[in-house]
Amino acid sequence: MHGYENALPEQLSDSQAQRVAIARGLFSSPRILLLDEVFSTVDAFTRMKLRDLLINIARDYGLIVILVTHDIDEALYLSDLSRSWINIQRA
C-alpha cells in the first residue's frame, strides 16, 4: 500500500484495513491462518477482490485457511475454489 506507510489505522479505508490485517497475520509465516468475518465490512466488489487475493496467498504459500463467515455464498465460493485447487495438486 504505497503511500500509506505512516498512516494511522483510522486513516485507512475498510478495504485497506482488511489488507493490513491479512498482512499482519502473514508476517510470522504461519501455516494456518484464522480469519473471522474478514470481509464483512467491505463492499461487494472489494469483497470479491479480497477473496481472490486470499485464495492466491493461500495457494502460493501453502497456507491452511480457516474462515468464519455468515455469508453462505462466500463460504461456497471459497470452498469450491479450494476443492478445485486441492484436486489439481493431487493430480
Side-chain angles (χ1 to χ4, degrees):
M1 293 183 14
H2 183 67
Y4 290 91
E5 296 87 353
N6 297 313
L8 297 173
E10 60 269 8
Q11 295 172 314
L12 301 176
S13 70
D14 287 341
S15 171
Q16 292 167 331
Q18 293 300 58
R19 283 183 269 167
V20 168
I22 292 170
R24 254 194 336 249
L26 295 170
F27 180 75
S28 63
S29 301
R31 293 185 60 210
I32 300 173
L33 190 62
L34 174 60
L35 303 171
D36 185 7
E37 294 286 346
V38 71
F39 306 126
S40 64
T41 61
V42 296
D43 61 88
F45 179 72
T46 303
R47 185 176 302 123
M48 290 186 310
K49 287 174 48 178
L50 288 173
R51 286 177 189 163
D52 291 338
L53 173 66
L54 176 62
I55 289 165
N56 290 331
I57 289 170
R59 184 178 356 189
D60 292 348
Y61 293 94
L63 293 175
I64 296 169
V65 177
I66 300 171
L67 177 74
V68 176
T69 183
H70 289 93
D71 183 334
I72 292 174
D73 292 329
E74 180 174 86
L76 291 172
Y77 176 76
L78 292 170
S79 65
D80 284 346
L81 285 177
S82 66
R83 254 188 249 120
S84 299
W85 181 70
I86 289 168
N87 290 334
I88 291 169
Q89 294 297 314
R90 289 183 185 158

